Amino acid sequence: MSLKQLIQKCKSGDIASQSEIYHLFAGKLFAICLKYSKTQQEAEDNLQEAFITIFNKIDQFKFKGSFEGWMKRIVINTALQTYRQKKVLNLVEENYPDEVEVDIDENYITLDYLLKIIQELPERYRMVFNLYVLDGYSHKEIANLLHVAEGTSKSNLSRARLILKDKIELSQQQKNAGLF
């Protein structure tokens, strides 16, 4: 059965088609949830909430553009909604350089390690970093999504990059010194 046929059946409430769409896309969408969630449990909750929204709003998908892209947007918005509902202290706007350069020796830094240290960033920094660097949102869009000033988005991104740079450099120094 084609994706278009599955979507049409979902629009008429077919549970088997919903299950098939879930199994087709859950892995990719869960990876997105992990980027925006503090824990695996929170990511699982966000994925479930996103799929509820996807199936409740599937009538709004008009076959213009990618279905996966449409679902990705819902997943990101679900994770951001979870984030906004938490009582988070607003960070003081700080000024940092726009670009932070990091020399990475690929022999020492693995993708798993990079994802781990991104996950360890303070929540606001992680959100901005993921939206800007990994998903291509502009600072203006991020400011609207997170209800912050555009300058705050820029400074949060710079701070996230500095933290990541420091952790990567420390890791490389430790490995060069034979500490692991």
Side-chain angles (χ1 to χ4, degrees):
M1 183 178 313
S2 74
L3 181 58
K4 186 172 184 173
Q5 290 171 320
L6 279 174
I7 295 168
Q8 292 291 17
K9 286 189 168 200
C10 284
K11 287 183 176 191
S12 64
D14 183 65
I15 293 173
S17 296
Q18 289 176 346
S19 177
E20 193 165 339
I21 283 182
Y22 179 88
H23 291 294
L24 280 172
F25 294 102
K28 285 181 181 179
L29 298 178
F30 183 65
I32 294 168
C33 288
L34 281 171
K35 288 190 317 190
Y36 291 97
S37 303
K38 190 70 174 165
T39 65
Q40 183 162 344
Q41 180 63 46
E42 185 178 298
E44 290 169 0
D45 292 345
N46 284 335
L47 181 67
Q48 290 304 111
E49 286 300 316
F51 267 107
I52 290 169
T53 302
I54 287 166
F55 294 130
N56 284 337
K57 295 186 175 193
I58 200 159
D59 283 336
Q60 295 176 10
F61 181 71
K62 303 298 182 197
F63 299 96
K64 294 181 180 174
S66 144
F67 182 63
E68 187 174 336
W70 180 79
M71 290 189 303
K72 179 182 173 184
R73 194 110 175 135
I74 290 173
V75 168
I76 290 171
N77 285 334
T78 299
L80 292 176
Q81 183 178 10
T82 299
Y83 167 74
R84 285 190 300 260
Q85 288 174 347
K86 293 179 184 176
K87 297 294 181 203
V88 180
L89 295 175
N90 287 328
L91 300 175
V92 175
E93 187 170 329
E94 303 172 45
N95 291 317
Y96 292 96
D98 287 339
E99 292 296 322
V100 175
E101 290 191 28
V102 181
D103 290 327
I104 297 176
D105 183 345
E106 286 96 20
N107 295 322
Y108 293 119
I109 302 299
T110 65
L111 179 59
D112 287 340
Y113 177 72
L114 190 55
L115 292 173
K116 177 184 174 289
I117 62 174
I118 290 170
Q119 199 69 19
E120 291 172 353
L121 286 169
E123 200 162 25
R124 170 85 47 93
Y125 296 164
R126 188 180 73 251
M127 292 290 179
V128 172
F129 182 85
N130 285 334
L131 287 166
Y132 187 84
V133 174
L134 302 177
D135 291 317
Y137 284 78
S138 70
H139 285 295
K140 184 176 184 175
E141 292 170 317
I142 294 168
N144 288 331
L145 288 168
L146 298 180
H147 306 294
V148 297
E150 202 171 325
T152 301
S153 174
K154 290 177 183 179
S155 68
N156 286 180
L157 175 63
S158 292
R159 184 66 183 132
R161 286 178 169 165
L162 284 173
I163 292 169
L164 293 173
K165 176 182 182 279
D166 290 345
K167 286 186 177 197
I168 289 168
E169 287 175 349
L170 178 63
S171 174
Q172 287 178 341
Q173 289 170 2
Q174 290 173 337
K175 288 186 180 190
N176 288 336
L179 297 176
F180 48 112

